[in-house]
């Protein structure tokens, strides 16, 4: 029985609609617009040059590394508010293990990643077993870690800072890998940029090219329907929490190596940068849709704002205000364009 | 035609609530078995028992003549019993091909580099849908852009493709308009032609009459009537479902109200 009826109302999809339907489209346009804006108001003539690019990508990289995994988690239908403080916790923990407890640097890095995986596992497990919103569960984790960061740091060092000296064994190795600079086109770029590109590609591959990625979309899109289709929703969500937490730890380790120490308050508030980057990048706050590339573009926009505002000699006290407006505008445009594109395909 | 599923005097109790009392039914391959009943009649309880969500409190549940005892829906799925739930069948924002293969993704590659075989899944889903008579130009479009009827149809095609021997449809037409219901009913028939045992739950006797081979009437947890296609007319079915005498009494009352 193959008497398929051609529906005369089916329109051929134009390539433009296909492009508009991509969740990262808005972020790409936004990034171009903001680049043009800051290039035109730039007083140093450096914003679009290698030196300027090295500046704003340096800001964007650590945000982007975590934001791409936050985007995956959000597509999977969950939030993690403990990511920012996790950067601090893991940086501090690395310092404490090495400087205060005398552990080997590589061993410490391994233990810190393991610790982060454990916290992610706990977040995920608490969310799926209690059924409480992840917003609340991870907000609690955030405050627990925030307090612990201060208390434990003071306990060990008597100050609010943990330090990590260059004399530490294997520091050179680790720093070469995670906190060095690369000369390119007459400017020095942070190696974190390469990691950021790597993680963006990895996350995009996971999301769009693997079975697990399919399960992420399904879990966030409709957990019940996903379960009915045989998707292990609980496992998918827990793995996402673990990945997010480990991405934050990766950045925490990069920072402690680069800054040769860490303040107890580091990272607090940064969790919103990740969420903003993901949202600007077209990730739906209710889950089910989004892109890792979009989150990276969101991070680029933030990097450009951070460098572009002082380059334009604007008062940089307004940076956050600027980011707030960008968030609102970008999400508004994403929603509008996304809806139009969806409708365009409707029969 | 072989009997795929059989219930013998199955009772389901939730604490003190008896949702199903000594229900017996047969579901044959290559035919459409309709279960009709008003809200609260126990239709959902019946299909949840068939699909492995609930265990019978008493009675026998046979598949291909053998007693079965499912601990979870997954076990029922593994045995070839697929259930398409009304609103919980597909994920609106995901593309048609992703929905079609959700939970059964085809991959290529090895170990950590194992990835989706997107080309194959797109081609296969398009072809399978076409064979069921669903012509989609582009399986890349979000399934939410299809109409409700088409979405149900895709869910049915998916279940058939993945080898469902028994296909349970929970009120697939209750939220749809006339034309959309027509689309779904067409695919119900095309699944039947492929030899699937279809269990069609509805409270709409018109829809049931269009596709059904056998009709079971459920009321207050009891199987109150059973009809074969050849022995029943639509009026009889409607009457029986509405509780015959009750409907007559109601008609009488209404005419009295109008007469005033
Ligand atoms: N899980 C349950 N626990 C207690 N009572 C239930 C449960 N499921 C169904 N029932 C009861 O069983 C009866 C039949 O319900 P249901 O099977 O959902 O009917 P239908 O789907 O025909 O509308 C109702 O009285 C309902 O309250
Ligand atoms: Mg029901």
């Amino acid at each position: 029985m193959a008497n398929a009826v051609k529906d005369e109302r089916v329109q051929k999809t134009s390539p433009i609609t296909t492009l508009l339907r991509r969740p990262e489209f808005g972020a790409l346009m936004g990034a171009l617009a903001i680049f043009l804006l800051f290039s035109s108001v730039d007083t140093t003539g450096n914003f679009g040059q290698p030196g300027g690019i090295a500046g704003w990508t340096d800001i964007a990289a650590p945000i982007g590394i975590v934001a791409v995994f936050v985007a995956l988690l959000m597509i999977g239908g969950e939030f993690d508010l403990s990511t920012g403080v996790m950067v601090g916790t893991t940086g501090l923990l690395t310092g404490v293990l090495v400087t205060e407890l005398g552990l080997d640097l590589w061993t410490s890095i391994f233990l810190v990643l393991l610790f982060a995986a454990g916290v992610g596992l706990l977040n995920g497990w608490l969310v799926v077993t209690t059924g409480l919103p992840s917003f609340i569960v991870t907000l609690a984790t955030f405050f627990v870690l925030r307090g612990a960061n201060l208390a434990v740091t003071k306990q060990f060092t008597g100050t609010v800072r943990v330090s990590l000296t260059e004399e530490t064994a294997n520091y050179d190795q680790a720093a070469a890998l995670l906190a060095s600079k690369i000369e390119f086109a007459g400017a020095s770029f942070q190696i974190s940029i390469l990691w950021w590109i790597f993680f963006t590609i990895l996350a995009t591959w996971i999301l769009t090219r693997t079975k697990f990625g399919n399960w992420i979309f399904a879990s966030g899109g409709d957990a019940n329907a996903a379960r009915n289709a045989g998707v292990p929703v609980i496992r998918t969500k827990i793995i996402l929490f673990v990945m997010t937490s480990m991405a934050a730890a990766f950045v925490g380790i990069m920072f402690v190596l680069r800054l040769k120490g860490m303040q107890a308050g580091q990272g607090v508030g940064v969790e919103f940068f990740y969420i903003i980057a993901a949202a600007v990048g077209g990730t739906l706050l209710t889950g089910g849709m989004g892109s890792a590339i979009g989150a990276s573009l969101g991070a680029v926009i933030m990097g450009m704002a951070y460098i572009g505002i002082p380059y334009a000699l604007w008062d940089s006290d307004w940076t956050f205000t600027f980011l707030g407006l960008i968030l609102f505008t970008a999400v508004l445009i994403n929603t509008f364009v996304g809806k139009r594109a969806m409708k365009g395909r409707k029969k | 035609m072989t009997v795929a599923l059989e219930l013998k005097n199955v009772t389901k109790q939730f604490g003190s609530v008896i949702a199903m009392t000594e229900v017996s039914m047969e579901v044959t391959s290559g035919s459409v078995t309709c279960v009709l009943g008003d809200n609260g009649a126990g239709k959902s309880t019946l299909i949840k028992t068939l699909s492995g969500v609930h265990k019978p409190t008493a009675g026998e549940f046979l598949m291909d003549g053998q007693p079965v005892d499912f601990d979870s829906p997954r076990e029922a799925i593994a045995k070839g019993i697929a259930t398409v739930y009304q609103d919980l069948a597909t994920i609106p924002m995901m593309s048609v091909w992703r929905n079609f293969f959700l939970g059964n993704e085809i991959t290529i590659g090895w170990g950590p580099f194992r990835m989706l075989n997107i080309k194959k899944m797109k081609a296969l889903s398009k072809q399978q849908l076409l064979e069921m008579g669903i012509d989609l130009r582009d399986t890349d479009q979000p399934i939410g852009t299809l109409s409700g009827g088409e979405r149900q149809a895709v869910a049915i095609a998916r279940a058939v493709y993945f080898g469902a021997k028994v296909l349970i449809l929970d009120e697939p037409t209750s939220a749809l308009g006339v034309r959309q219901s027509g689309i779904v009913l067409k695919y119900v028939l095309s699944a039947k032609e492929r030899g699937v045992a279809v269990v069609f739950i509805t409270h709409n006797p018109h829809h049931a009459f269009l596709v059904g081979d056998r009709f079971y009437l459920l009321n207050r947890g009891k199987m109150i009537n059973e009809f074969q296609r050849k022995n029943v007319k639509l009026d009889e079915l409607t009457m029986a479902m509405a509780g015959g005498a009750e409907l007559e009494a109601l008609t009488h009352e209404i005419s009295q109200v109008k007469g005033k």
Side-chain angles (χ1 to χ4, degrees), chain B residues 201-213:
Chain B
I201 286 89
T202 179
H203 60 245
N204 186 328
H206 299 270
H207 291 170
F209 195 72
L210 281 170
V211 295
D213 296 303

Side-chain angles (χ1 to χ4, degrees), chain A residues 140-161:
Chain A
T141 312
F142 169 20
F143 272 71
V144 167
L145 289 179
R146 185 178 182 172
N149 283 2
L150 193 61
V152 174
T153 306
K154 274 188 173 169
Q155 179 81 37
F156 276 102
T157 66
T159 67
V160 292
R161 187 186 148 86

Side-chain angles (χ1 to χ4, degrees), chain B residues 33-212:
Chain B
T33 307
C34 296
V35 178
L36 290 139
D38 219 336
N39 290 330
K43 303 186 296 295
S44 295
T45 307
L46 175 64
I47 61 160
K48 281 181 182 164
T49 307
L50 295 178
S51 61
V53 177
H54 295 323
K55 268 175 182 281
T57 312
E60 277 182 90
F61 181 5
L62 308 174
M63 183 170 192
D64 299 327
Q66 301 297 314
V68 284
D69 184 19
F70 298 128
D71 287 318
S72 73
R74 285 199 76 90
E75 285 183 22
I77 292 171
K79 285 257 190 173
I81 302 177
T83 310
V84 176
Y85 295 95
Q86 192 191 329
D87 290 323
L88 308 171
T90 54
I91 294 161
M93 279 177 291
M94 290 176 80
S95 67
V96 173
W97 70 265
R98 279 185 188 267
N99 264 294
F100 195 94
F101 284 96
L102 185 60
N104 293 295
E105 293 86 353
I106 302 174
T107 54
I108 40 170
W110 169 87
F113 303 106
R114 182 178 287 277
M115 54 193 248
L116 297 176
N117 192 342
I118 295 178
K119 225 174 142 182
K120 187 166 174 188
M121 286 192 280
K122 278 187 185 172
L124 264 177
S125 56
K126 196 177 165 76
Q127 180 208 328
Q128 287 305 316
L129 290 173
L130 203 59
E131 274 180 31
M132 289 284 290
I134 309 166
D135 185 19
L136 291 181
R137 195 178 286 271
D138 175 14
T139 55
D140 232 349
Q141 60 187 319
I143 203 162
T145 62
L146 302 184
S147 66
E150 289 166 323
R151 282 203 299 274
Q152 289 282 337
V154 172
I156 294 171
R158 174 174 72 183
V160 171
Y161 175 68
F162 288 107
K165 290 187 211 141
V166 180
L167 178 62
I168 304 169
L169 305 168
D170 181 18
E171 308 222 10
T173 57
S174 70
L176 304 178
V178 177
R179 207 185 112 82
Q180 295 298 323
S181 300
I183 296 177
V184 173
L185 295 176
K186 206 171 96 190
Y187 302 123
V188 166
L189 287 179
S190 110
K192 163 190 156 169
E193 277 171 27
R194 288 173 159 227
V196 177
V198 183
V199 181
F200 181 28
I201 286 89
T202 179
H203 60 245
N204 186 328
H206 299 270
H207 291 170
F209 195 72
L210 281 170
V211 295

